[in-house]
Every structure is written in C-alpha cells, then in structure tokens.
Amino acid sequence: MDALPAGFEFRDYLDGPGLYLGSELLANACPANSDPGAPWRLCISPRRPPRYEFLADEAACRRYMARWACLWEAEIRERIGQSRPPFVNPVSGTGPETRHPRPRSRRHVRIE
C-alpha cells in the first residue's frame, strides 16, 4: 500500500475508510450500492464542493486517496489550515443559517 504523508491517516468512516488530517475528514469511500460486486464511490472534499470517483474496490480507493494526499499535500495543508469553518461562503461570509430578507409584495403598488 502507498505510504501517507506525515499527519495523514486512514480511519473507519461509516461503511468504509476515511482519510483524515488530524481531526479533518478529507476523503471517504463506501460501496456505491448494496449489490454484490458494486463499485465503490470515493468522495474527496477538502473544504470545497465534493468530487466523486468510482473505483472497483476498497483497496483501489485507499490507493487513490494515498496518491492524492501525496500529490496535493501542500495545498491540502494550506486549505485545512485556514481559519474559516466549513460551509461558509468565501465571497459573502454567510453560512447556511443566514436569513435572507423576504421580497415585498407588489400587490398594493399603485401605478399612476
């Protein structure tokens, strides 16, 4: 099996392995469905919208995650080291609990 960079480790996550850097989940894999011999779905998401790959089995997913971590180690560490919490829009700085103003009704607007 491919070696992981320092600080990265595999731990169990739901139905398959998860790749962690400290306490941050970077990627995880699980069977795509419950059929026997189903492909595995790999989800990579270091503070971005997730990206999915479909591979033959768990071992292939682990190899992919290890190679990915080695290749992108510096960028991953930079992204994870950012202080903003996940699920915050970097442009507006708002999170999912933000309330948006309701548009006013135009039903009673007089046009003269």
Side-chain angles (χ1 to χ4, degrees):
M1 185 170 297
D2 295 333
L4 291 171
F8 289 77
E9 65 179 333
F10 285 114
R11 290 188 229 152
D12 290 334
Y13 180 79
L14 299 176
D15 293 341
L19 177 64
Y20 288 84
L21 176 59
S23 63
E24 184 87 23
L25 177 67
L26 303 174
N28 65 297
C30 64
N33 58 43
S34 59
D35 295 338
W40 279 62
R41 183 182 69 173
L42 172 65
C43 175
I44 297 175
S45 178
R47 298 201 186 194
R48 280 192 161 184
R51 182 175 61 109
Y52 297 99
E53 299 286 336
F54 290 88
L55 301 167
D57 56 16
E58 180 180 353
C61 289
R62 284 178 179 265
R63 286 191 305 271
Y64 189 104
M65 287 189 274
R67 280 191 231 123
W68 174 78
C70 291
L71 184 63
W72 295 99
E73 177 184 3
E75 186 174 330
I76 293 167
R77 288 184 189 278
E78 181 181 322
R79 283 182 190 274
I80 300 307
Q82 294 176 353
S83 61
R84 77 168 196 266
F87 305 118
V88 171
N89 183 340
V91 176
S92 67
T94 60
E97 68 281 350
T98 301
R99 296 186 59 145
H100 299 283
R102 240 177 127 169
R104 292 190 308 180
S105 172
R106 293 178 173 251
R107 183 179 295 172
H108 303 290
V109 175
R110 296 172 117 182
I111 300 176
E112 296 179 27

